[in-house]
Amino acid sequence: MSKCLGWRTAVDFPTELKVFTPSASDQVVGVLRTLILKGEVEPGMQLREVVLSESFDVSRNTIREAIRQLVHEGLLRHDRHRSAVVVKLDDDDVADLYAARRVLEISAADRVRSAGRETLEAVQAAFARLEASVASGEWSEVVAADVAFHKSVVGLHGSPRLQKCFETIESELAYFLSLIRLAEKEEEEPERILAEHDVILQAVLVADAAWASTAVAAHLTYYEERAHAVLRDRSATG
């Protein structure tokens, strides 16, 4: 085995190692995440390992792995009976989420003049994906494309670490966007979603930092207010 300055540069792994993708756990995570974001598994609902294991026809260890991932994403929490519960996000969660988004997205828009060509093209490509998802009428994809668009805006930083920071809030952001969609029936006004994001896109494409940061700030304030309103309405209706 070759060495360089005392460090190994190659490892002889056993030839029988195999990687299977996606794993059963990943598949369970994907299904449960989709059901939660669609509102089919509601906030406060308890998810028991035994029931999930039987429903998915997988081991309880696989279910535990999936639950750990969704807890990490902020969509589930453990209760004292060792089952999992779909989170009930509140006004403090909204405020905290949008505070984090402002730090990541507005500061990214401020850096648009120094952003590379590939980064700008990524924002344009993300908007094209949003257009296609709106045209398809598949609203779970619209939410995913919406989140991806904002992730591309964070990409204007050119920082892998800040990109990872955004990834830690992606699922919670998708959750709130799904709640807004369900409450306000956004599918009845698809052109509004595109118009709201097109303003940001145009500012980014002309590399106008003042316009871009103002557009992003206004967008975040608008959606934060809507998220608070949705939670108030859900609380009022029980």
Side-chain angles (χ1 to χ4, degrees):
M1 184 175 293
S2 61
K3 296 183 179 180
C4 180
L5 297 179
W7 292 91
R8 293 181 179 183
T9 59
V11 178
D12 296 325
F13 288 107
T15 57
E16 66 272 16
L17 285 178
K18 293 182 180 180
V19 176
F20 298 95
T21 304
S23 69
S25 175
D26 290 337
Q27 293 179 57
V28 173
V29 168
V31 172
L32 290 177
R33 185 192 294 118
T34 297
L35 292 174
I36 293 169
L37 296 182
K38 284 185 173 182
E40 294 177 22
V41 179
E42 298 182 352
M45 185 174 290
Q46 194 172 63
L47 302 179
R48 296 190 178 278
E49 285 183 9
V50 173
V51 175
L52 290 174
S53 177
E54 292 173 352
S55 298
F56 284 98
D57 192 23
V58 296
S59 70
R60 291 183 67 175
N61 282 336
T62 296
I63 294 301
R64 290 189 193 106
E65 289 178 26
I67 288 174
R68 277 196 293 268
Q69 177 59 34
L70 291 169
V71 168
H72 177 72
E73 292 182 12
L75 296 180
L76 297 180
R77 63 173 176 81
H78 288 293
D79 71 3
R80 59 185 176 180
H81 302 296
R82 300 187 66 184
S83 59
V85 176
V86 181
V87 296
K88 286 185 176 181
L89 299 175
D90 58 24
D91 283 326
D92 288 341
D93 293 311
V94 174
D96 192 40
L97 176 67
Y98 278 84
R101 292 190 68 186
R102 286 185 176 88
V103 170
L104 293 170
E105 295 185 49
I106 296 176
S107 58
D110 284 334
R111 293 178 58 84
V112 69
R113 289 193 187 117
S114 60
R117 179 177 174 182
E118 289 185 3
T119 307
L120 299 177
E121 290 175 348
V123 178
Q124 193 167 20
F127 183 80
R129 175 186 171 184
L130 183 60
E131 281 186 308
S133 64
V134 168
S136 75
E138 178 50 60
W139 289 90
S140 60
E141 173 56 26
V142 172
V143 169
D146 191 332
V147 173
F149 177 83
H150 290 281
K151 186 175 182 178
S152 75
V153 171
V154 174
L156 296 171
H157 280 291
S159 167
R161 289 175 178 81
L162 290 176
Q163 199 82 344
K164 286 181 181 178
C165 287
F166 184 83
E167 289 169 3
T168 65
I169 63 171
E170 278 185 284
S171 290
E172 286 182 297
L173 173 55
Y175 189 38
F176 274 120
L177 293 179
S178 296
L179 291 179
I180 291 171
R181 176 186 68 79
L182 290 168
E184 299 185 0
K185 296 181 171 57
E186 281 194 317
E187 61 269 26
E188 296 176 3
E189 297 181 276
E191 67 285 348
R192 186 177 75 176
I193 296 173
L194 293 178
E196 292 165 357
H197 293 81
D198 186 55
V199 174
I200 298 172
L201 173 65
Q202 297 310 316
V204 167
L205 291 180
V206 298
D208 187 325
W211 182 17
S213 59
T214 298
V216 169
H219 182 90
L220 296 182
T221 296
Y222 177 53
Y223 269 84
E224 180 177 9
E225 291 172 351
R226 291 167 69 186
H228 281 298
V230 167
L231 290 183
R232 284 196 301 271
D233 290 344
R234 289 173 72 92
S235 178
T237 56

